[in-house]
Structure formats: structure tokens, C-alpha cells
């Protein structure tokens, strides 16, 4: 009995009631022990080496199977990308009428025998020196490209010429893993179907070289005015450099482009020597960069149209998925924000105001530049004036970032003070600023910081400087804005904190790249915003503190199908109360202050003149209920863009403010366009 009872107790310890395991029969256990039994804590969830090996093997088998399926089902397309359907890009005015039709794609196919060997090898040295021996793909390049796509990096530089040819002729320019795998598979299959010479010929005839040119034959004509067969190794090396990105290597576009192009041109020639395709003696002959000829302007871009097209295209390139190469293929309809009546009115206002300018007989009138922009309160750029004629001067005066804004900047300082207050003592709190807050308006007052006087680099205390050295005594900040008294605004900028003023200016839409040095002169306009951005900033005061960044394109279509386009959205950049106070001061300037010249343009206008201490720029900026307009005048030789003084411009008598000419342009234009509604998007 005891033995039986003891057996029962032992059975209870083993979990009594369980079925007794029969001899010769193994209990079934799952093959994958996860979470792992017999382990505690985190170790239960860590795979054993056997489990890791099993998972890895399974993953490799699945990936191999998928890649095999992808390879088997991906075919070389029957048709090339439709070069035959290339069209013009058509730009439209805001009312839907046609503004400009920019020509068809410039492409002409040539046989490979027409391309000099040295030019062929310049391309191969730059892009794929192992072209004739590789299998059409670069495993290491593919790995880099996939990694860069996964991490958001630059995907260029990971393809062989065969892969690039596939991308040019069979696929789109989208950069993602699926497109990259299709490119690899088609490149491998194409390599079995076409000879290397045929692939190279196809690549040279379909690649984009910039300036609207597809194919090396038209590139030779666009950059050197000659047939491709006439190119020498040096010229060929430059054209090969363009394949890395014509927008970054066309030297005519910017000094930075010129530097990059020259560096890559030299590297390609050196690389040709290294791979044995150019002798050292011949390389020594090419020490001077082969400057391409200037890019000719399209005939349909005369007058202001060219400036408008350039601006619209730049907006599309930076706010859509379209690349410059795709735009050059054509076929897009670009609907702009520009209103032809306002563009014409602005051009007429400039022409009328500059009738007395005589650069032939008056030195002070040489190199005069007038730029202007008119922006609706919702951000639409409705008009601009870039220069006398786009075909004569491609440089856009309305979009320049080299001209100081001068005292037209002071309303932004006023806005910063109203919204952020001031700190006048070290370690003290910030004190609110009101329109009635008073400052010393005399000329030559020491500029102060919370620590004491501000010492300039010349070892002297910096002092305020009013126009005409006039002493105004004590006056309110609103009066300082209305009467354009610079001294109080310079000191206000210091009291607010120049970094805070800078942030307010950025909030109002000025680009960080245009901001001047954070010195006392910052408060009176050492920054260099464009007329477009300046008008946009003033529009914030009229819109109750709401800012919408200026934009020039409303929508893009291709064959009637809308394409994605990023449009700016409104943000509250300034407190409504601060915006109302700035607005009141700018309207007071028109009623009885420094902007009385604007009153003739209509009722309820707000405006501010702008001048600089060195007399190199004049401004007139202001708005009505719908539009903000900025006009800038400066003198500069476009060869070096060095600003020249405006004194005596148009035969003006001594003491005439440098803002006089832009004031006439502004008043004439705003009177012509009136207070009528502008077109809505």
C-alpha cells in the first residue's frame, strides 16, 4: 500500500494525470524551438546558430528564386523611347493664352565611324573604361547605387555605358530599386543581342548633353559649332564631362560650373593617358580649356518673355519630378502665373521712367540696370521686368542677389521689434516694443549693445547715419519708418538682436543666402534679396502676417494629363497685430512721410523708398490690396558685377535721392494696374 501510495505521490510530482509515455515511442516536439525553451529573459528570443543558418538559407533561396523569375519575365522592350514624338514645350500666360513655344529636341543620329576614336575614348575614360571587356553591368556599381538609393544618397555613377544606354532608350529616369533591377536585366540581355560598337553608338546618339542637345553630333554643334568628326581630343573630353550632368558642367551657366567643367576636362585627359588611349606628348598639347561658344538665345524669347520662361522652367525643375533632360525632350504644357497686361504695364513704366537716360553721352548713365517684380498676396508672381531685352541681356535684374536692399529693409526690422521685443541690458529681460516706443533720431549717435558701445573693425565706435545727416530728435518707431529715419532702425536692430532680426527676415521670405553680415549695417539693409523676394516679404504685411512664397507656375500637363507640382502653402509668418502695425506705418509714409510719391498711384497704398549709404542702389517697394511690387535700380558692368554709384543718374541734381527713378517706375506701374483683382490659381 505504501509502495502504491508512494508511486502516486511521485506521479503527482511529474504532473499527475498525464498519459504515461510508452516504451519505444518518442514524444513529438516542434522542429523550430522558438521562443527557445530552457532559456530565460532575452536569451529566449535570440536565435541559435542553427536557426540563423536556416533563416539565411531560406532567404537566399527565396531571393534567388525571385531574381530568376524577375530575369525570366523581364524582356527587352520592342520600342525605344519615343524620340519621334518629341514636341515643343509650350508656356502659357495666366489667362491660358500661349506665351512661348520653345523648340523641339535637338537630336541627330550619326554612325560611330563619324566619331573620332579619341572622342570615343574620352567618353569611355570618363564613364566606363572597361566597356569592351565587361558584361554590360558593374556589380560594385550596382551595389553602391542600391545602397545610395536605400539611404537617400546620390544614385549617379553606378552604371556602365550599357546600363546608361538602357536607361536612355528603354526606361524612365526614375531612381528606385525596381527600375535599377530592370536596367540590369535588360543590359545583360541586350549585351547578348547587340555588339559593343552598336551599344556605344546608341549611347552617344541618345545621351543628353545640355543646351537641348541629345546625341554627340548636336552637342558638337551646340558647344563648338562644328561636326562631331571635327572634334579634337580636348573638345571631346569636355563633351564627355557633360555626361555627368550638363546642368552642373556647362561653363556658360555659372562660375562654379566653369570650375567643375575645367577640373573634369583635365581629369578625363589624364585618365586617357593612364589607360593608354592618349600619349603623354599629345596630352601636353592640351593645357588650355577649350571654351565652348556662348549659348544662343531662342528667337521666341525676345523682350520680357525670355526672363519669364527662364523663371518658370527653373521653378519646374526645382518643384516637380521633371529633370532638365526630360524638359529638353519637350511635350510639356507649363501654365504660368504671369499676367500679360501687367508684364506689359511694368515694361512700359520702366521705359517711360528711363527716357532721360543717355549712356552714350553721360558716364553716370552707363550700365544702368532696372529690375522689378509684382507679386500677388497669395504668392503668384504676376509680372517682372528682367532687363531691356532677354536676347540682349540674359541676366535677370529682377532675380539678382547682388544688390543691397538698403533702407527698404527697415520695415522688417520694425516687424522684428514689434514681435520679439528688445533687450537693452546684459542679463536683463526683454521689453515689449510698441509703435509709440521712442528712440533718438539724431545723426551720429553711438550704436549701443547691452555691453556698451559697438566698436567697428577700424577701432572706432560705430555711429548712426541719417540721410542728409539730418537730426530728428526723439521720435517714435512708427515715425522713424514713416519718415525713413535710419538711425533709430539701426539701433532697434541691435536691441532686438541681429540674429532675431535675421530670423524674422527669413520668416518673411528672404533667402538665407541673401542675408548680409550681422553688423549694425544689417539693420539698414546690407542684405541682397531679389526684387521678387522683397516684394514677397512686403506682401506679408498686407496679408495680415500670412506668407506664401513667390511662385511662377500654377500647373504642368503633358498631353492634357496633369503632372505633380509642388505649390507653396500659406504660413503665418508674423503675428497679425505686428503686421497691422507695420502696414499702418507704411501707409502713413504715403500719406505724409517719405513715400508721398506713391499717393498718385491710388488710394490706401503702402510704400517705402530704399537707399544705401554708398549710393549704389535705389529701391521703391510697396503694395495695394492685391499686389506687392518692388523696383530696384543699380549700375553694374555684367563682366564683374561691381556696383557703381548712382549719383548724377539721368542728369539728376545733387541731393536727388537714388530712389527717385524706381519711385517713378513703381508709381506709374501701380497706377496702371489699379486695384483690380488679379487672376486666381
Amino acid at each position: 500500500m505504501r509502495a502504491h501510495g508512494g508511486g502516486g505521490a511521485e506521479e503527482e510530482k511529474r504532473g499527475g494525470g498525464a498519459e504515461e509515455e510508452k516504451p519505444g515511442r518518442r514524444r513529438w516536439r516542434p522542429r523550430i524551438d522558438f521562443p527557445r525553451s530552457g532559456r530565460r529573459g532575452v536569451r529566449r528570443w535570440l536565435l541559435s546558430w542553427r536557426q540563423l543558418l536556416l533563416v539565411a538559407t531560406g532567404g537566399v533561396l527565396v531571393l534567388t528564386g525571385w531574381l530568376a523569375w524577375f530575369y525570366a519575365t523581364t524582356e527587352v522592350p520592342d520600342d525605344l523611347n519615343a524620340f519621334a514624338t518629341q514636341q515643343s514645350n509650350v508656356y502659357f500666360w495666366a489667362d491660358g493664352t500661349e506665351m512661348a513655344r520653345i523648340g523641339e529636341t535637338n537630336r541627330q543620329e550619326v554612325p560611330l565611324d563619324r566619331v573620332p576614336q579619341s572622342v570615343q575614348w574620352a567618353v569611355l575614360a570618363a564613364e566606363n573604361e572597361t566597356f569592351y571587356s565587361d558584361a554590360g553591368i558593374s556589380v560594385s556599381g550596382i551595389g553602391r547605387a542600391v545602397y545610395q538609393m536605400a539611404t537617400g544618397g546620390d544614385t549617379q555613377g553606378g552604371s556602365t555605358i550599357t546600363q546608361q544606354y538602357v536607361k536612355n532608350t528603354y526606361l524612365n529616369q526614375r531612381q528606385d530599386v525596381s527600375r535599377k533591377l530592370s536596367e540590369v536585366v535588360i543590359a545583360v540581355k541586350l549585351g547578348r543581342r547587340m555588339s559593343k560598337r552598336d551599344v556605344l553608338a546608341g549611347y552617344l546618339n541618345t545621351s543628353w548633353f545640355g543646351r537641348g542637345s541629345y546625341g554627340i553630333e548636336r552637342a558638337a554643334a551646340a558647344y563648338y559649332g562644328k561636326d562631331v568628326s571635327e572634334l579634337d581630343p580636348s573638345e571631346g573630353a569636355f563633351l564627355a564631362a557633360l555626361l555627368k550632368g550638363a546642368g552642373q558642367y556647362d561653363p556658360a551657366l555659372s562660375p562654379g560650373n566653369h570650375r567643375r567643367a575645367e577640373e573634369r576636362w583635365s581629369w578625363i585627359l589624364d585618365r586617357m593617358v593612364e589607360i593608354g588611349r592618349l600619349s603623354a606628348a599629345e596630352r601636353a598639347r592640351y593645357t588650355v580649356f577649350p571654351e565652348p561658344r556662348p549659348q544662343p538665345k531662342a528667337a521666341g524669347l525676345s523682350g520680357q518673355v525670355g526672363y519669364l520662361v527662364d523663371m518658370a522652367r527653373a521653378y519646374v525643375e526645382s518643384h516637380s519630378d521633371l529633370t532638365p533632360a526630360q524638359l529638353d525632350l519637350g511635350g510639356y504644357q507649363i501654365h504660368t502665373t504671369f499676367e500679360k497686361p501687367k508684364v506689359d504695364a511694368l515694361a512700359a513704366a520702366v521705359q517711360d521712367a528711363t527716357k532721360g537716360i543717355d549712356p552714350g553721352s553721360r558716364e553716370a548713365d552707363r550700365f544702368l540696370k532696372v529690375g522689378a517684380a509684382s507679386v500677388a498676396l497669395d504668392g503668384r508672381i504676376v509680372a517682372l521686368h528682367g532687363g531691356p531685352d532677354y536676347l540682349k541681356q540674359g541676366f535677370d535684374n529682377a532675380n539678382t542677389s547682388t544688390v543691397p536692399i538698403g533702407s527698404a529693409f527697415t520695415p522688417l526690422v520694425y516687424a522684428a521689434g514689434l514681435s520679439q521685443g528688445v533687450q537693452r541690458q546684459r542679463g536683463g529681460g526683454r521689453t515689449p516694443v510698441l509703435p509709440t516706443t521712442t528712440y533718438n533720431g539724431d545723426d551720429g549717435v553711438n550704436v549701443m549693445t547691452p555691453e556698451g558701445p559697438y566698436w567697428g573693425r577700424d577701432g572706432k565706435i560705430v555711429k548712426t547715419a541719417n540721410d542728409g545727416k539730418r537730426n530728428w530728435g526723439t521720435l517714435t518707431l512708427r515715425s522713424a519708418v514713416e519718415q525713413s529715419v535710419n538711425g533709430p532702425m539701426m539701433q532697434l536692430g541691435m536691441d532686438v538682436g541681429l540674429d532675431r532680426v535675421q530670423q524674422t527676415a527669413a520668416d518673411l521670405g528672404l533667402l538665407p543666402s541673401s542675408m548680409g553680415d550681422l553688423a549694425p549695417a544689417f539693420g539698414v539693409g546690407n542684405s541682397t534679396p531679389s526684387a521678387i523676394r522683397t516684394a514677397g516679404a512686403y506682401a506679408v504685411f498686407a496679408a495680415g502676417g500670412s506668407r506664401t512664397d513667390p511662385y511662377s507656375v500654377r500647373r504642368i500637363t503633358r498631353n492634357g494629363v496633369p503632372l505633380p507640382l509642388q505649390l507653396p502653402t500659406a504660413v503665418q509668418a508674423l503675428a497679425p497685430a505686428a503686421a497691422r502695425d507695420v502696414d499702418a506705418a507704411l501707409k502713413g509714409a504715403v500719406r505724409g512721410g517719405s513715400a508721398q510719391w506713391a499717393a498718385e498711384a491710388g488710394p490706401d497704398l503702402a510704400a517705402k523708398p530704399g537707399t544705401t549709404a554708398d549710393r549704389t542702389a535705389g529701391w521703391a517697394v510697396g503694395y495695394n490690396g492685391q499686389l506687392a511690387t518692388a523696383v530696384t535700380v543699380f549700375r553694374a558692368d555684367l563682366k564683374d558685377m561691381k556696383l557703381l554709384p548712382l549719383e548724377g543718374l539721368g542728369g539728376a541734381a545733387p541731393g536727388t535721392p537714388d530712389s527717385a527713378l524706381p519711385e517713378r517706375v513703381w508709381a506709374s506701374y501701380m497706377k496702371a494696374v489699379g486695384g483690380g483683382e488679379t487672376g486666381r490659381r
Side-chain angles (χ1 to χ4, degrees):
M1 293 292 291
R2 184 175 297 173
H4 181 74
E10 188 66 22
E11 185 176 344
E12 282 185 10
K13 290 180 182 180
R14 296 196 306 265
E19 182 181 350
E20 185 177 340
E21 193 173 298
K22 296 181 180 180
R25 178 181 176 185
R26 300 181 63 183
R27 179 179 295 175
W28 179 86
R29 291 183 176 87
R31 296 291 299 276
I32 300 178
D33 181 22
F34 190 81
R36 297 170 66 189
S37 60
R39 303 289 191 275
R40 294 183 178 180
V42 176
R43 296 182 63 192
R44 295 189 67 221
W45 301 94
L46 297 177
L47 296 176
S48 69
W49 69 268
R50 291 186 179 88
Q51 291 169 332
L52 286 171
L53 181 62
L54 180 63
V55 171
T57 302
V60 169
L61 290 174
V62 170
L63 180 61
T64 302
W66 182 82
L67 288 175
W69 171 83
F70 192 87
Y71 183 88
T73 57
T74 301
E75 299 292 339
V76 179
D78 294 328
D79 298 321
L80 301 179
N81 284 337
F83 284 100
T85 62
Q86 294 163 7
Q87 311 164 50
S88 300
N89 287 327
V90 184
Y91 292 78
F92 295 93
W93 295 103
D95 64 2
T97 57
E98 185 175 312
M99 180 172 73
R101 185 177 293 268
I102 307 305
E104 298 180 356
T105 297
N106 190 4
R107 191 177 82 88
Q108 180 180 339
E109 189 167 329
V110 293
L112 191 61
D113 291 339
R114 284 264 303 281
V115 182
Q117 283 286 327
S118 61
V119 176
Q120 294 181 37
W121 277 104
V123 172
L124 295 176
E127 297 292 312
N128 185 189
E129 65 185 66
T130 62
F131 170 73
Y132 280 108
S133 60
D134 63 36
I137 61 172
S138 167
V139 176
S140 61
I142 293 168
R144 286 195 306 272
V146 171
Y147 172 77
Q148 289 167 341
M149 280 185 282
T151 58
D154 185 2
T155 58
Q156 294 182 353
S159 300
T160 64
I161 277 180
T162 305
Q163 290 173 254
Q164 293 182 54
Y165 174 58
V166 167
K167 182 172 64 176
N168 289 346
T169 56
Y170 295 108
L171 302 173
N172 57 44
Q173 302 293 319
R174 189 182 69 248
Q175 296 288 358
D176 57 35
V177 174
S178 174
R179 209 277 300 145
K180 193 70 178 178
L181 288 175
S182 297
E183 173 191 303
V184 170
V185 170
I186 295 174
V188 171
K189 292 186 174 183
L190 195 68
R192 297 175 178 176
R193 179 185 301 183
M194 294 177 65
S195 70
K196 288 286 188 178
R197 284 181 56 82
D198 287 342
V199 171
L200 181 58
Y203 173 72
L204 292 175
N205 282 312
T206 57
S207 292
W208 182 65
F209 288 84
R211 297 193 179 184
S213 300
Y214 279 80
I216 197 163
E217 168 64 16
R218 298 317 304 160
Y223 289 93
Y224 291 110
K226 58 175 66 174
D227 187 85
V228 66
S229 63
E230 301 171 335
L231 295 174
D232 62 32
S234 178
E235 294 164 337
F238 165 69
L239 294 184
L242 294 169
L243 293 168
K244 191 172 178 65
Q248 296 294 312
Y249 289 88
D250 183 347
L253 298 181
S254 72
N257 274 23
H258 196 288
R259 183 184 66 256
R260 284 187 289 270
E262 191 165 354
E263 289 173 353
R264 187 157 177 83
W265 159 81
S266 181
W267 176 84
I268 291 172
L269 289 174
D270 291 341
R271 192 70 188 142
M272 291 174 69
V273 174
E274 291 178 20
I275 64 176
R277 297 297 171 175
L278 186 69
S279 69
E282 190 171 12
R283 169 66 180 94
R285 291 170 46 194
Y286 302 119
T287 58
V288 178
F289 180 67
E291 293 287 351
R293 66 180 186 174
Q295 182 174 4
K297 303 293 184 182
L301 301 181
S302 61
Q304 297 303 306
V305 171
Y307 303 112
L308 307 180
V309 167
D310 273 1
M311 180 163 292
R313 175 172 175 133
Y315 190 86
V316 169
E317 290 179 1
S318 60
H319 292 80
S320 77
D321 295 331
L322 297 178
T323 65
Q326 289 172 308
L327 280 171
D328 276 348
L329 280 173
Y332 298 97
Q333 297 82 48
I334 299 168
H335 300 263
T336 76
T337 61
F338 303 121
E339 299 180 18
K340 190 176 187 305
K342 291 183 173 61
V343 172
D344 291 344
L346 190 53
V350 172
Q351 184 176 10
D352 184 62
T354 56
K355 283 181 179 178
I357 301 300
D358 186 5
S361 60
R362 191 182 295 122
E363 178 66 25
D365 291 356
R366 296 186 64 205
F367 306 121
L368 176 65
K369 305 290 182 287
V370 181
S374 193
V375 179
L377 302 192
D378 61 3
R380 290 171 296 114
I381 305 173
V382 297
L384 65 80
H385 183 86
D389 189 306
Y390 179 77
L391 298 183
K392 297 177 181 178
Q393 178 196 293
F395 178 82
D396 186 352
N397 298 335
N399 205 27
T400 181
S401 58
T402 60
V403 182
I405 185 175
S407 55
F409 185 78
T410 56
L412 282 68
V413 180
Y414 185 41
L418 292 167
S419 59
Q420 301 195 51
V422 296
Q423 182 182 18
R424 294 193 178 98
Q425 295 181 350
R426 184 183 180 90
R430 300 192 71 81
T431 304
V433 166
L434 301 172
T436 54
T437 300
T438 58
Y439 269 73
N440 188 339
D442 287 343
D443 184 69
V445 176
N446 289 347
V447 174
M448 303 297 291
T449 73
E451 291 79 21
Y454 185 97
W455 293 84
R457 294 179 180 177
D458 59 0
K460 298 179 180 179
I461 296 176
V462 175
K463 298 179 181 296
T464 62
N466 295 332
D467 285 345
K469 300 186 181 299
R470 179 175 174 180
N471 292 322
W472 290 80
T474 300
L475 76 171
T476 65
L477 287 177
R478 173 170 172 168
S479 295
V481 174
E482 291 178 344
Q483 303 299 333
S484 197
V485 184
N486 291 339
M489 307 314 295
M490 179 182 284
Q491 184 59 58
L492 176 63
M494 300 297 293
D495 293 345
V496 173
L498 296 180
D499 56 338
R500 290 173 178 257
V501 176
Q502 182 186 56
Q503 184 57 57
T504 297
D507 292 342
L508 294 173
L510 268 57
L511 298 177
S513 60
S514 71
M515 300 292 186
D517 294 335
L518 295 185
F522 185 80
V524 288
N526 64 7
S527 297
T528 58
S530 67
I532 296 169
R533 286 286 172 172
T534 301
Y538 271 63
V540 176
F541 305 138
S546 176
R547 186 198 88 216
T548 306
D549 284 334
Y551 66 100
S552 57
V553 177
R554 297 184 298 170
R555 61 190 177 97
I556 315 168
T557 59
R558 184 176 177 87
N559 299 324
V561 179
L563 300 179
L565 177 68
Q566 301 168 17
L567 294 177
T569 56
V571 297
Q572 194 68 32
L574 190 65
R580 286 194 297 271
D581 286 338
V582 178
D583 175 69
L586 293 174
K587 288 178 177 175
V590 175
R591 287 193 298 269
S594 61
Q596 295 181 57
W597 44 265
E600 66 178 88
D604 204 31
L605 295 175
K608 177 75 173 68
T611 57
T612 62
D614 60 2
R615 305 202 61 181
T616 56
W619 289 78
V621 193
Y623 51 84
N624 59 19
Q626 288 80 38
L627 298 174
T629 300
V631 183
T632 180
V633 167
F634 58 99
R635 292 176 59 226
D637 187 343
L638 296 183
K639 293 179 181 179
D640 57 16
M641 281 307 299
K642 180 180 179 180
L643 296 179
L644 303 171
L646 292 173
E647 187 174 3
L649 179 67
T656 302
D658 297 329
S659 59
L661 195 154
E663 289 167 6
R664 292 198 298 272
V665 174
W666 191 95
S668 176
Y669 166 73
M670 293 296 278
K671 182 177 181 179
V673 299
E677 287 290 323
T678 63
R680 299 293 175 185
R681 57 173 160 174

